[in-house]
Amino acid sequence: MGVSSRVAGAEEMCPYRLVLEHVTSRWGVLVLIALEERSYRFSELRREIGRVSEKMLTQTLQTLERDGMVHRDAKPVIPPRVDYSLTPLGREAAAQVRTLATWTERRMDEVAQARVKYDETRP
Amino acid sequence: MGVSSRVAGAEEMCPYRLVLEHVTSRWGVLVLIALEERSYRFSELRREIGRVSEKMLTQTLQTLERDGMVHRDAKPVIPPRVDYSLTPLGREAAAQVRTLATWTERRMDEVAQARVKYDETRP
DNA sequence: CAGCATCCACAAGGATACTG
DNA sequence: CAGTATCCTTGTGGATGCTG
């Protein structure tokens, strides 16, 4: 997910698929779910999510801000303070994503069972 | 999305996040949505989705099969015939993913507007 | 603190050729 | 037809160093 919203093959893809990918991307999901609870400062969010490089968090936040999902509030103070929160649109997205994430979590043992079956029938 | 379910950094990730990524992956989404309507043969599905490399489709199908979302029915005939369909678990996943996709599609003009605003306030 | 710019390694993913 | 195997290009994303 690039700053200018580039993804492999992005050019020939219908626009909504692009937004879908932003929202369901690796860090997109986590950012949305985190911000659904409350607003976060940059490095606060970084710690909350864990193991995100600064670069990826920045890119993710910018992409989601550009898509109108995230609101960025930069306070003109020193040292800089920037708060991130969800827009109403982002809030809807977050709810959907969280639903999917929760569903996945709750179905994990079914998945695990399926994997065992799959694996034991081949080398 | 690799055959053995590898993703960058997969090792240090909680397992459910991995499944979530399979389901929301580029081709995963499209496969699930397509198979929700009806079952497909391999190359039928390839045409339906469009611009998937054979390799990616194979990988995606195998991963989703291993996760217990997709059922693979290989008929022992010549020429080979393989039908793919959704399992009950896959059906649930597909419904969620489709909901999210539909939501995204319907919100596209809000996103578009947000982008214009975002873009016009910077070089 | 909150970023941006750069470099770099590795993995995703496409193209091609081949097989059961 | 439905894949597998291989090569090769591209992009993703981490690490580092610098700035307002």
Side-chain angles (χ1 to χ4, degrees), chain B residues 32 86 94 103 109 112 123:
Chain B
L32 287 173
L86 292 183
W103 176 86
D109 31 352

Side-chain angles (χ1 to χ4, degrees), chain A residues 5 7-10 12-13 15-24 26-27 29-30 33 51 62 65-69 89-90 92-93 96-97 99-105 107-108 110-111 114-115 118-119 122, chain B residues 3 5 7-10 12-13 15-24 26-27 29-30 33 51 62 65-69 89 92-93 96-97 99-105 107-108 110-111 114-115 118-119 122:
Chain A
S5 302
V7 182
E12 333 95 34
M13 225 165 39
Y16 97 91
R17 290 259 322 275
L18 224 43
V19 178
L20 188 58
E21 292 198 359
H22 296 167
V23 162
T24 61
R26 181 90 138 312
W27 307 119
V29 185
L30 299 184
I33 293 180
R51 301 189 208 84
Q62 285 177 350
E65 186 194 356
R66 194 172 103 97
D67 285 352
M69 309 271 178
L89 188 64
E92 289 183 45
Q96 307 243 5
V97 168
T99 301
L100 185 56
T102 306
W103 176 87
T104 306
E105 219 168 353
R107 295 301 187 167
M108 270 310 292
E110 284 189 56
V111 171
R115 285 182 180 169
Y118 183 95
D119 291 343
R122 44 211 100 189
Chain B
V3 172
S5 302
V7 183
E12 333 95 33
M13 223 164 40
Y16 97 89
R17 290 261 322 273
L18 223 43
V19 178
L20 188 58
E21 292 199 358
H22 297 167
V23 162
T24 60
R26 180 91 139 316
W27 307 118
V29 186
L30 299 183
I33 292 180
R51 301 189 208 84
Q62 286 176 350
E65 186 194 356
R66 195 172 101 96
D67 285 352
M69 309 272 178
L89 189 64
E92 288 184 46
Q96 307 243 5
V97 168
T99 301
L100 185 56
T102 305
W103 176 86
T104 306
E105 220 169 352
R107 296 300 187 168
M108 270 310 292
E110 284 190 57
V111 171
R115 283 181 181 170
Y118 182 95
D119 290 342
R122 46 210 102 187

Side-chain angles (χ1 to χ4, degrees), chain A:
Chain A
M1 191 162 65
V3 172
S4 37
S5 302
R6 282 215 195 92
V7 182
E11 309 74 31
E12 333 95 34
M13 225 165 39
C14 28
Y16 97 91
R17 290 259 322 275
L18 224 43
V19 178
L20 188 58
E21 292 198 359
H22 296 167
V23 162
T24 61
S25 71
R26 181 90 138 312
W27 307 119
V29 185
L30 299 184
V31 165
L32 286 173
I33 293 180
L35 290 182
E36 202 193 8
E37 278 189 65
R38 66 177 183 88
S39 70
Y40 279 91
R41 300 182 56 179
F42 186 84
S43 30
E44 222 180 12
L45 189 55
R46 190 150 141 61
R47 277 189 300 275
E48 166 69 16
I49 291 180
R51 301 189 208 84
V52 214
S53 71
E54 175 187 286
K55 179 186 171 186
M56 283 304 105
L57 186 55
T58 303
Q59 283 188 2
T60 303
L61 285 169
Q62 285 177 350
T63 305
L64 292 178
E65 186 194 356
R66 194 172 103 97
D67 285 352
M69 309 271 178
V70 162
H71 174 68
R72 181 174 181 279
D73 183 21
K75 270 111 178 171
V77 296
I78 292 183
R81 177 189 175 102
V82 182
D83 285 279
Y84 291 94
S85 55
L86 293 182
T87 64
L89 188 64
R91 207 155 277 287
E92 289 183 45
Q96 307 243 5
V97 168
R98 183 178 37 75
T99 301
L100 185 56
T102 306
W103 176 87
T104 306
E105 219 168 353
R106 297 189 56 249
R107 295 301 187 167
M108 270 310 292
D109 32 351
E110 284 189 56
V111 171
Q113 279 185 303
R115 285 182 180 169
V116 171
K117 277 205 176 179
Y118 183 95
D119 291 343
E120 75 191 4
T121 62
R122 44 211 100 189

